[in-house]
Amino acid sequence: MYSRSFESSQNLQESQSVMATILQNLPKECSLTKIEYEGPRIALHTNKPQFLLENNKILSNIVGQIKKRIVLRIDETIRIDESEVQKVAEKHAPQESGITEILFDPALGEATIFVKNISEIIKDEKIINNIILESGWKISFKKIPKNMVTIKNINKIIRNASDYRIQFYKRIGEKIFREKLDPNIEANLNSLGGFAEIGRSSMILSTNESNVLLDCGMNIYTKDPLSRFPRFDSTGIKLSEIDAVLLTHAHFDHTGFLPMLFKYGYDGPVYCTEPTSYLMYILYREYIRHSGSEAHYTDKELEKIFSHLIHLNYNIVTDVSPDIKVTFYNAGHVIGSSSFHLHIGNGDHNFVYTGDIKFGKSSYLENAVWNFPRVETLLIEGTNGGREDSYSSREDAQERLIEVINKVIKNQKLILMPAQLIGTSQELLITLDMLIKQKKIMKCKLYIEKLVTEINSIHEFNVEFLNRELQQSIISNDYNPFRSKNIASILDITTQKLDPGIIIYPSSMLNCSYSKDYLKRISNDPGNLIIFTSKPTGMTLGKEIIDGQRKLSINDEDFEIRCAIETMYSFNSHSDFNQLNAYISRLRPKLRKILVNHGERSKVQNFSGYSSKVHNISTQYLQNQESIKLL
Amino acid sequence: MYSRSFESSQNLQESQSVMATILQNLPKECSLTKIEYEGPRIALHTNKPQFLLENNKILSNIVGQIKKRIVLRIDETIRIDESEVQKVAEKHAPQESGITEILFDPALGEATIFVKNISEIIKDEKIINNIILESGWKISFKKIPKNMVTIKNINKIIRNASDYRIQFYKRIGEKIFREKLDPNIEANLNSLGGFAEIGRSSMILSTNESNVLLDCGMNIYTKDPLSRFPRFDSTGIKLSEIDAVLLTHAHFDHTGFLPMLFKYGYDGPVYCTEPTSYLMYILYREYIRHSGSEAHYTDKELEKIFSHLIHLNYNIVTDVSPDIKVTFYNAGHVIGSSSFHLHIGNGDHNFVYTGDIKFGKSSYLENAVWNFPRVETLLIEGTNGGREDSYSSREDAQERLIEVINKVIKNQKLILMPAQLIGTSQELLITLDMLIKQKKIMKCKLYIEKLVTEINSIHEFNVEFLNRELQQSIISNDYNPFRSKNIASILDITTQKLDPGIIIYPSSMLNCSYSKDYLKRISNDPGNLIIFTSKPTGMTLGKEIIDGQRKLSINDEDFEIRCAIETMYSFNSHSDFNQLNAYISRLRPKLRKILVNHGERSKVQNFSGYSSKVHNISTQYLQNQESIKLL
Ligand SMILES: [Zn+2]
Ligand SMILES: [Zn+2]
């Protein structure tokens, strides 16, 4: 993001002879050494980058003509050795930036420079330009996050796969930009998982030219393979016939099956935002660690994923096959979460898959995007599709949160807030830290586990995916909630001495291995408080408590809940019933059909009936293993 | 039908060791020489048939235990030569029967004896029994129809394929009665054609064990292959993976693609009623004759169809795969037309596909069956699914018919009644002939083409598929409308002298090659009358006239319609809007879901909406190339 705009793109119709147009439009001064497909883009390699860096209108004009993404690459022959880059960078960057680390991607000739202070660098475009010209590396700067483990691990994987990736990008580009084989345009949506249920979201969008997989989740709450995995067995499509995988966001119910896809032979591209890829890596590692010998996959499959990964940013139209263009839009659910706008054929059909969306206020993300250029069919999530799933406004909920927390903290007691690891944990952490900063909540500790810190670091690393306000205040060093002094670590909940404060515990239904320890620590003291932020689901400890059970037995050990219990669903990362309907109301003029997925059967059923009537648009929920014609 | 009951069957649950149960239950006197699968049945071969013929309770008891169809076969060693059968038959049958022809099927050891008078033979069971015992052939008697061409042609095909068929029946039986491979029961319906349209009805019912094709139509009114043929290309199922084809009735929009299925490699069984198979043969031949070098198939494919054909009667439960049992029920649409009751797994799901149905009075067929043992999902045709598709009662229509016809006949003029070749033509012929017989219509000629006579002959051949009254009166020689003296042949409409009468012309929309000649003959005289019996469809001459056009141009020749025009849709072979709803009302208590096919989009759309509201059952129409989960 804080790099020179090396890339241009535009949302228009296709043109014919792409390479010819490029060559005709580029002056000799560009000094091209190679034009090549690089995944969904056309890479222009030059050994004199200065001309195109200084005349960057030239490239955006070509993009306007060919309607394909173009990326500028610097010829390998003029790149300096990795070991010399730091010296060059230090020469051009202000002293106070504090360069701490540089990660290289030799396959693409890119280098990411991590610095302590980034604000001076982004003020002056010349700094990056000079480093690029002197080093021959395509440079970007990032503010260094608290925890670099995941970022370094992934960098190691992609470095090791450099040779493979160069060939892979070429191969994929040739598939995407091939001529269409069939003059007829048809499109079907095949439901594989996550329809009339939550837990293994996956579907295939298939046309006469291509099969694109949208999400690839796994339901870890069941062992039965027919309920655990997406039903690839029921389509006629082989894994090798899938042309692309698109992931809306990192949650395991949208990504958990992806390693198995590679295990069983998939070797095509995976498209997602950068934060999605880093977060899902953390989740995969956690899954492997927890599952031990029962894990369905190992680090080997993770390496495969990351050598096939292509990052997409929001709002850029990208060809993923000869007849499908996708644009990712912010979905407001978790960092990097996306809704997909899929443009099929020559705009013959426009299909939007919301993924999980939050169409409502958040402390750290922008609201879900709804103003798509065109939409005929909308597939919307229905997690909160029941009439009973309307929650109080976030403002009201926040007032109540302040009130109940202060009461507990005043008495020097503890609050436990079970929350989803990715999404609600950050929403709460930032909300609470801001409220403490504003002195609305009494000063107290915000306890988090190491895993949450790791997740938070991806938020720092991808700060450009946060809402504008927070982004600005982190970059400018004004305020960074992820580095707040109020945050303290939980190292061992059973023995650690804890000051009055709030524990954000990353298991929303208390159904993790350590939940019992947390519950034991909190529940015995009538002065303590547990606040649930997600609706009760499954056969979980959380559900039992929310449903009113006070005498519990965990692993044959009986104990009693003596502390207070509250529920506050307004901080949840999903839209509530009203927000879903508000979202549809905005889109309504463009819609012809609404499909509903990602929700218990009763919820999606209710939501379909309600939407058909209230919005007067044909609305239907699918089950898994169904196929519906879009076009 | 007028044969000894050689077959027993029953609708119950499965048992395990089928062969063992049979062997344990049969006394030595049965003198079995072989037990073998024969398609969906188990064939018991004996060289002493007398014992089992006389003690036929033994077999029905075994069927009750094993819940499989059993058929008794006579060992080839005791069969007399074909040339000697007539002598044996003449010895036992009464003189006045008038044996005129015997057709043999050596593969099954069956012989059909055609006689002039059948009433005496069916009164005395001993006649057939004695011929069987003396000849070693499994005998049945049929009254000889007017035209034997089709019947003989088909007999020739199956005789030539005798050796192949013996192996084929064994192969199919082994597939049907194999053990299930998958403990899970799931079922999907995949729409290939005839959904939200009329013209190429076809769908696949697929479970974890099997793929069964329901109907296999072709839309001859379009040349575009994407609209003409069922969309086999869009499923993942190869033709070789289809286990069985079931046909509801003979109309081309339900059978026309079947020869191509064989052309492209299908070699499994085709199940339909006897009249369906004979009628479709006639239609295939007509199609080949008319299409010339453009025909998609030849007699070679027809031979393949008939060597893979297995006739089913109504109301008999038949295994067609390890987890699907089908029962054909009378659908009242045309002779031999069926609704399918498909019993999936161990009754885990019961799916009824109505095919085309007439739930209303007919002059020659019983009303469509509706009292199925169990139904969860109903797929109903929606031809008349529009609100505007309610017609006047048949009684009222008949009064009006009498009135308008008498007016024309009194003036010594002609009436042209365009009608569907199979179905409405017979409905009209029989209605009109009866009304003449009852002197409600003035005596006049009923003109038909040779092709209609051929179709009528299949009705005589399969008289047991007509309604009980008509059946009885034909068998007893009391009254046979197909041999009425009122019937006269049209040999050449352009030159033939015609007495006052009614021409039943087998093209309901006057869109056949000879329609113009008929129209020219009739339309110029203001005293003549044309009565349309089908709603206007397509870009047809019929539609133009019904819509009010009176000046027409056919092949650049202009002419004017001066005769009177009437429309009377109540004689149509499809249920009208009210009849469709009456049918659903009867089934309602058993239903969980209704699907609609076979109707223009606006009709099935209207019908789905109406049915959801009025019957309060989730109703939905599918499009082609969709897949919906039943179970
Ligand atoms: Zn999610
Ligand atoms: Zn029909």
Side-chain angles (χ1 to χ4, degrees):
Chain A
M1 267 280 155
Y2 308 117
S3 59
R4 283 279 335 220
S5 168
F6 263 87
E7 194 181 328
S8 324
S9 59
Q10 197 168 327
N11 178 13
L12 281 166
Q13 298 307 312
E14 305 179 293
S15 133
Q16 289 296 8
S17 164
V18 172
M19 294 291 188
T21 311
I22 294 174
L23 290 170
Q24 282 155 25
N25 283 276
L26 286 182
K28 272 226 172 104
E29 295 90 325
C30 297
S31 194
L32 291 197
T33 55
K34 203 161 52 173
I35 305 187
E36 237 176 22
Y37 293 123
E38 182 192 294
R41 304 181 288 198
I42 294 159
L44 305 186
H45 295 253
T46 174
N47 56 15
K48 297 202 182 102
Q50 185 157 14
F51 180 77
L52 279 168
L53 285 181
E54 284 169 3
N55 299 278
N56 54 15
K57 276 251 158 146
I58 294 175
L59 286 193
S60 55
N61 283 343
I62 297 176
V63 167
Q65 279 184 270
I66 61 171
K67 292 98 196 174
K68 304 287 174 211
R69 292 178 61 182
I70 288 182
V71 63
L72 181 62
R73 294 287 174 210
I74 300 163
D75 200 273
E76 213 180 333
T77 54
I78 65 162
R79 268 188 229 156
I80 62 171
D81 194 75
E82 290 182 11
S83 59
E84 296 165 38
V85 174
Q86 179 146 0
K87 227 184 301 165
V88 173
E90 275 164 354
K91 187 171 119 192
H92 295 284
Q95 181 88 50
E96 63 274 26
S97 316
I99 295 172
T100 45
E101 179 105 38
I102 305 181
L103 296 180
F104 295 92
D105 177 358
L108 301 178
E110 292 180 344
T112 309
I113 304 177
F114 290 87
V115 294
K116 288 203 186 98
N117 301 302
I118 200 165
S119 46
E120 291 306 309
I121 294 166
I122 60 172
K123 277 181 200 153
D124 185 1
E125 278 212 339
K126 263 189 290 174
I127 298 172
I128 293 184
N129 246 358
N130 288 335
I131 305 173
I132 290 172
L133 292 176
E134 193 172 333
S135 71
W137 285 87
K138 188 173 155 185
I139 299 295
S140 60
F141 280 93
K142 290 253 188 195
K143 196 167 187 298
I144 192 151
K146 185 160 188 184
N147 183 313
M148 282 285 287
V149 175
T150 301
I151 294 156
K152 283 187 179 174
N153 277 343
I154 291 176
N155 183 252
K156 207 164 139 192
I157 294 174
I158 63 165
R159 282 190 65 109
N160 286 340
S162 286
D163 290 346
Y164 176 83
R165 285 167 60 224
I166 290 168
Q167 295 309 313
F168 163 73
Y169 292 136
K170 234 187 266 182
R171 164 164 67 86
I172 295 308
E174 274 156 17
K175 274 181 77 178
I176 293 172
F177 295 111
R178 70 164 166 79
E179 289 296 304
K180 287 179 199 165
L181 302 171
D182 191 328
N184 301 294
I185 293 160
E186 296 182 312
N188 264 66
L189 188 70
N190 304 286
S191 57
L192 307 184
F195 287 79
E197 65 174 12
I198 296 180
R200 45 167 169 168
S201 284
S202 195
M203 68 202 85
I204 292 180
L205 174 66
S206 64
T207 68
N208 295 356
E209 301 290 337
S210 39
N211 298 304
V212 173
L213 188 73
L214 311 181
D215 279 343
C216 192
M218 182 156 87
N219 184 354
I220 48 167
Y221 299 109
T222 169
K223 295 267 177 205
D224 174 12
L226 291 184
S227 314
R228 187 174 173 92
F229 309 128
R231 295 301 306 271
F232 283 94
D233 59 307
S234 75
T235 70
I237 300 163
K238 291 178 217 133
L239 295 191
S240 59
E241 291 169 347
I242 296 174
D243 298 292
V245 176
L246 313 183
L247 303 174
T248 57
H249 66 290
H251 281 150
F252 216 66
D253 60 330
H254 294 254
T255 60
F257 191 75
L258 182 62
M260 290 178 80
L261 215 63
F262 280 96
K263 187 172 172 181
Y264 293 118
Y266 178 67
D267 71 345
V270 175
Y271 296 93
C272 64
T273 62
E274 195 171 77
T276 296
S277 74
Y278 284 76
L279 292 172
M280 76 191 190
Y281 179 82
I282 297 175
L283 294 186
Y284 292 143
R285 294 297 295 268
E286 276 298 295
Y287 163 78
I288 292 171
R289 203 167 59 81
H290 270 102
S291 308
S293 63
E294 287 190 9
H296 298 298
Y297 42 81
T298 64
D299 280 359
K300 206 177 109 193
E301 280 74 37
L302 305 195
E303 286 164 18
K304 279 196 191 163
I305 292 178
F306 284 87
S307 42
H308 292 82
L309 201 70
I310 297 175
H311 287 138
L312 294 186
N313 278 325
Y314 292 148
N315 310 321
I316 291 174
V317 180
T318 300
D319 295 83
V320 292
S321 82
D323 63 350
I324 300 178
K325 294 173 195 287
V326 69
T327 315
F328 281 42
Y329 290 96
N330 172 42
H333 172 59
V334 301
I335 187 169
S337 70
S338 310
S339 299
F340 299 156
H341 179 277
L342 294 141
H343 173 104
I344 302 162
N346 274 324
D348 300 275
H349 197 86
N350 293 274
F351 169 58
V352 166
Y353 166 39
T354 64
D356 293 359
I357 41 165
K358 177 71 171 184
F359 192 60
K361 197 182 151 38
S362 149
S363 62
Y364 73 115
L365 297 176
E366 298 286 351
N367 207 345
V369 167
W370 56 270
N371 49 341
F372 307 104
R374 255 183 71 186
V375 197
E376 279 88 26
T377 304
L378 173 73
L379 173 63
I380 189 169
E381 64 129 325
T383 313
N384 288 321
R387 290 285 186 121
E388 65 283 12
D389 299 328
S390 311
Y391 307 134
S392 52
S393 79
R394 204 174 172 297
E395 289 72 22
D396 290 354
Q398 190 163 304
E399 285 312 306
R400 174 112 187 96
L401 185 71
I402 294 167
E403 192 186 319
V404 298
I405 287 177
N406 281 335
K407 218 172 90 187
V408 176
I409 299 299
K410 202 167 60 190
N411 293 326
Q412 304 281 313
K413 299 289 184 182
L414 284 165
I415 296 155
L416 179 67
M417 296 193 78
Q420 254 194 320
L421 169 64
I422 301 174
T424 318
S425 289
Q426 287 70 41
E427 180 69 40
L428 291 175
L429 180 69
I430 296 165
T431 302
L432 294 170
D433 191 62
M434 284 177 168
L435 290 172
I436 294 172
K437 194 164 152 257
Q438 295 162 13
K439 304 214 159 74
K440 291 185 177 166
I441 287 182
M442 291 169 66
K443 196 153 183 71
C444 67
K445 288 284 177 219
L446 298 174
Y447 289 104
I448 57 176
E449 287 196 335
K450 187 168 152 284
L451 183 58
V452 177
T453 309
E454 273 185 56
I455 299 292
N456 290 348
S457 289
I458 305 304
H459 289 69
E460 289 188 78
F461 178 59
N462 289 120
V463 71
E464 62 273 23
F465 285 85
L466 303 178
N467 69 27
R468 207 157 306 164
E469 221 182 318
L470 191 56
Q471 205 177 126
Q472 297 264 315
S473 72
I474 292 176
I475 291 166
S476 62
N477 281 333
D478 280 352
Y479 168 61
N480 182 347
F482 302 112
R483 303 291 183 100
S484 165
K485 292 209 173 107
N486 299 320
I487 296 174
S489 289
I490 294 266
L491 300 168
D492 180 353
I493 188 69
T494 54
T495 57
Q496 188 174 349
K497 191 191 158 318
L498 297 174
D499 293 328
I502 304 160
I503 304 166
I504 297 172
Y505 178 66
S507 168
S508 59
M509 282 297 118
L510 297 177
N511 51 335
C512 275
S513 19
Y514 300 106
S515 301
K516 191 183 119 192
D517 298 332
Y518 279 81
L519 204 54
K520 273 172 103 173
R521 175 80 189 243
I522 300 298
S523 67
N524 203 39
D525 186 334
N528 288 345
L529 168 65
I530 303 176
I531 308 176
F532 287 97
T533 57
S534 294
K535 286 210 106 182
T537 54
M539 303 263 290
T540 55
L541 215 48
K543 182 169 163 51
E544 284 191 70
I545 297 170
I546 297 171
D547 288 352
Q549 274 283 63
R550 288 299 172 261
K551 296 196 177 189
L552 298 166
S553 162
I554 310 176
N555 306 339
D556 289 334
E557 196 181 333
D558 294 336
F559 65 100
E560 212 178 322
I561 307 285
R562 294 198 181 83
C563 69
I565 304 292
E566 288 273 350
T567 59
M568 290 192 193
Y569 304 140
S570 306
F571 298 97
N572 199 280
S573 60
H574 287 275
S575 302
D576 77 352
F577 185 75
N578 294 331
Q579 289 163 346
L580 290 176
N581 282 298
Y583 178 89
I584 290 177
S585 296
R586 297 268 180 119
L587 281 175
R588 216 191 78 83
K590 298 177 183 178
L591 289 181
R592 282 211 304 251
K593 184 166 214 162
I594 301 174
L595 307 172
V596 188
N597 76 337
H598 199 284
E600 290 162 21
R601 181 181 300 261
S602 63
K603 309 263 185 186
V604 292
Q605 203 160 26
N606 172 69
F607 192 64
S608 304
Y610 181 87
S611 169
S612 293
K613 270 179 227 155
V614 171
H615 302 294
N616 197 23
I617 298 173
S618 161
T619 306
Q620 160 182 358
Y621 73 93
L622 298 182
Q623 300 184 72
N624 294 327
Q625 298 176 276
E626 299 198 325
S627 174
I628 189 166
K629 203 159 161 54
L630 301 178
L631 174 73
Chain B
M1 266 281 155
Y2 309 118
S3 59
R4 282 278 336 221
S5 168
F6 263 86
E7 190 178 331
S8 324
S9 58
Q10 196 169 329
N11 178 14
L12 280 167
Q13 296 308 311
E14 305 180 293
S15 132
Q16 288 296 8
S17 163
V18 172
M19 294 291 188
T21 312
I22 294 173
L23 289 170
Q24 282 154 27
N25 282 276
L26 286 182
K28 273 228 172 101
E29 295 92 321
C30 297
S31 195
L32 290 198
T33 56
K34 201 160 58 175
I35 306 187
E36 237 174 23
Y37 293 124
E38 182 191 295
R41 307 180 289 199
I42 294 159
L44 305 185
H45 295 254
T46 173
N47 56 15
K48 295 202 182 101
Q50 187 156 16
F51 179 77
L52 278 169
L53 284 180
E54 282 168 3
N55 300 279
N56 54 13
K57 277 252 156 144
I58 293 175
L59 286 193
S60 54
N61 284 343
I62 297 176
V63 168
Q65 280 185 269
I66 62 171
K67 292 97 197 174
K68 303 289 175 211
R69 292 178 61 181
I70 288 183
V71 62
L72 182 61
R73 293 286 174 212
I74 301 163
D75 200 275
E76 214 181 334
T77 55
I78 66 163
R79 267 187 228 157
I80 64 171
D81 193 77
E82 290 183 11
S83 61
E84 295 166 40
V85 174
Q86 179 148 1
K87 228 185 299 167
V88 174
E90 275 165 355
K91 188 169 116 193
H92 295 285
Q95 183 85 52
E96 64 273 27
S97 316
I99 295 171
T100 45
E101 178 105 38
I102 306 181
L103 295 181
F104 295 92
D105 178 359
L108 301 178
E110 292 181 344
T112 308
I113 304 177
F114 290 86
V115 295
K116 287 206 185 94
N117 301 301
I118 201 165
S119 45
E120 290 305 309
I121 293 167
I122 60 172
K123 278 182 198 150
D124 186 0
E125 280 214 338
K126 264 190 291 174
I127 298 172
I128 293 184
N129 247 357
N130 288 335
I131 305 173
I132 289 172
L133 292 175
E134 194 170 332
S135 70
W137 285 86
K138 187 172 155 186
I139 298 293
S140 60
F141 278 96
K142 291 255 189 192
K143 195 164 187 303
I144 192 151
K146 184 158 186 185
N147 183 314
M148 283 285 285
V149 176
T150 301
I151 295 156
K152 284 187 177 174
N153 276 344
I154 291 176
N155 183 252
K156 205 164 138 192
I157 294 174
I158 64 166
R159 283 191 65 111
N160 286 341
S162 286
D163 290 346
Y164 176 83
R165 285 167 60 226
I166 290 168
Q167 295 310 314
F168 163 73
Y169 291 138
K170 235 186 265 180
R171 166 165 65 88
I172 294 309
E174 275 155 16
K175 273 183 77 177
I176 293 172
F177 295 111
R178 70 164 166 80
E179 291 293 307
K180 286 178 201 165
L181 302 171
D182 192 327
N184 303 294
I185 293 161
E186 296 182 312
N188 264 68
L189 188 70
N190 305 287
S191 57
L192 308 184
F195 288 77
E197 65 174 10
I198 297 181
R200 46 167 169 169
S201 284
S202 195
M203 68 202 86
I204 292 179
L205 174 66
S206 64
T207 68
N208 294 356
E209 301 289 339
S210 40
N211 298 305
V212 173
L213 188 73
L214 312 180
D215 280 342
C216 192
M218 181 156 87
N219 184 356
I220 48 167
Y221 299 110
T222 169
K223 295 266 176 205
D224 174 13
L226 291 184
S227 313
R228 188 174 172 92
F229 308 128
R231 296 300 305 271
F232 283 94
D233 58 308
S234 75
T235 71
I237 300 163
K238 290 178 218 136
L239 294 189
S240 59
E241 291 169 348
I242 296 175
D243 298 293
V245 176
L246 314 183
L247 303 174
T248 57
H249 66 289
H251 281 151
F252 217 67
D253 61 329
H254 294 254
T255 61
F257 191 76
L258 183 61
M260 289 179 81
L261 216 62
F262 281 96
K263 187 172 171 181
Y264 293 117
Y266 179 66
D267 72 345
V270 176
Y271 296 94
C272 65
T273 62
E274 195 169 78
T276 296
S277 74
Y278 284 76
L279 292 172
M280 76 190 189
Y281 179 81
I282 298 175
L283 294 187
Y284 292 143
R285 294 296 296 267
E286 277 297 297
Y287 163 77
I288 292 171
R289 203 166 60 80
H290 271 101
S291 309
S293 63
E294 286 190 10
H296 298 298
Y297 41 81
T298 66
D299 280 359
K300 206 177 108 192
E301 279 74 38
L302 305 193
E303 285 164 19
K304 279 197 191 161
I305 292 178
F306 284 87
S307 41
H308 292 82
L309 202 71
I310 296 175
H311 288 139
L312 294 186
N313 278 326
Y314 291 148
N315 311 320
I316 290 173
V317 181
T318 300
D319 294 84
V320 291
S321 83
D323 62 351
I324 299 178
K325 294 172 195 288
V326 69
T327 315
F328 280 43
Y329 291 96
N330 172 41
H333 172 60
V334 301
I335 188 169
S337 69
S338 310
S339 297
F340 299 156
H341 179 276
L342 294 141
H343 173 107
I344 301 161
N346 275 324
D348 299 275
H349 197 86
N350 293 274
F351 169 58
V352 166
Y353 166 40
T354 63
D356 293 358
I357 41 165
K358 177 72 172 184
F359 192 60
K361 197 180 150 40
S362 150
S363 61
Y364 74 116
L365 296 176
E366 298 286 352
N367 208 344
V369 167
W370 55 271
N371 49 344
F372 307 103
R374 256 182 72 186
V375 196
E376 279 88 26
T377 303
L378 172 73
L379 173 63
I380 188 168
E381 65 129 323
T383 313
N384 288 320
R387 290 284 185 123
E388 65 283 10
D389 299 327
S390 312
Y391 307 135
S392 52
S393 79
R394 203 174 172 298
E395 289 72 20
D396 290 354
Q398 190 163 305
E399 286 312 306
R400 175 111 186 98
L401 184 71
I402 293 167
E403 193 187 317
V404 299
I405 287 178
N406 281 335
K407 218 171 90 185
V408 175
I409 300 299
K410 202 166 61 185
N411 293 326
Q412 306 279 311
K413 299 289 184 183
L414 284 166
I415 297 155
L416 178 67
M417 296 193 77
Q420 253 193 320
L421 170 63
I422 302 174
T424 318
S425 288
Q426 289 69 42
E427 180 69 40
L428 290 176
L429 180 68
I430 297 164
T431 301
L432 293 170
D433 191 62
M434 284 177 167
L435 290 174
I436 294 172
K437 194 165 152 255
Q438 294 161 14
K439 305 217 160 73
K440 292 187 178 165
I441 287 182
M442 292 168 66
K443 199 158 179 69
C444 68
K445 288 285 176 219
L446 299 174
Y447 289 104
I448 57 176
E449 287 196 335
K450 188 170 151 282
L451 184 57
V452 178
T453 310
E454 273 185 56
I455 299 292
N456 290 348
S457 289
I458 304 303
H459 289 69
E460 289 189 78
F461 178 59
N462 288 121
V463 71
E464 62 273 23
F465 284 86
L466 303 178
N467 70 28
R468 207 159 305 165
E469 222 181 317
L470 191 56
Q471 204 177 126
Q472 297 263 314
S473 73
I474 292 177
I475 290 166
S476 62
N477 281 333
D478 280 351
Y479 168 62
N480 182 347
F482 302 111
R483 303 291 184 102
S484 165
K485 292 207 174 111
N486 299 322
I487 295 175
S489 289
I490 294 267
L491 299 169
D492 181 353
I493 187 69
T494 55
T495 57
Q496 190 174 349
K497 191 192 160 318
L498 297 174
D499 294 328
I502 303 160
I503 305 166
I504 297 172
Y505 178 66
S507 169
S508 59
M509 282 296 118
L510 296 177
N511 50 337
C512 275
S513 20
Y514 301 106
S515 302
K516 189 184 120 191
D517 299 331
Y518 279 81
L519 203 55
K520 272 171 104 173
R521 176 81 189 240
I522 299 299
S523 66
N524 204 35
D525 186 336
N528 288 344
L529 168 65
I530 304 175
I531 308 177
F532 287 96
T533 57
S534 295
K535 286 208 106 182
T537 54
M539 302 263 291
T540 56
L541 215 48
K543 182 167 164 49
E544 283 192 69
I545 298 170
I546 296 171
D547 288 352
Q549 274 284 62
R550 289 298 171 263
K551 296 199 175 182
L552 298 167
S553 164
I554 309 175
N555 306 340
D556 290 333
E557 196 180 334
D558 295 335
F559 64 101
E560 212 179 321
I561 306 284
R562 295 198 179 82
C563 68
I565 304 291
E566 288 272 350
T567 58
M568 291 193 190
Y569 304 139
S570 306
F571 298 97
N572 199 280
S573 59
H574 287 274
S575 304
D576 77 353
F577 184 75
N578 294 330
Q579 289 163 347
L580 289 176
N581 282 298
Y583 178 89
I584 290 177
S585 296
R586 297 268 179 116
L587 280 175
R588 215 191 77 83
K590 299 176 182 177
L591 290 181
R592 283 211 305 250
K593 184 167 214 161
I594 301 175
L595 307 173
V596 188
N597 75 338
H598 200 285
E600 290 162 22
R601 182 181 298 259
S602 64
K603 310 264 184 186
V604 293
Q605 203 161 26
N606 173 70
F607 193 63
S608 304
Y610 182 87
S611 170
S612 293
K613 271 179 225 155
V614 170
H615 303 294
N616 198 20
I617 298 172
S618 161
T619 306
Q620 154 182 4
Y621 73 92
L622 298 182
Q623 300 185 73
N624 295 326
Q625 299 175 277
E626 298 198 326
S627 173
I628 189 167
K629 204 160 161 56
L630 302 178
L631 174 73

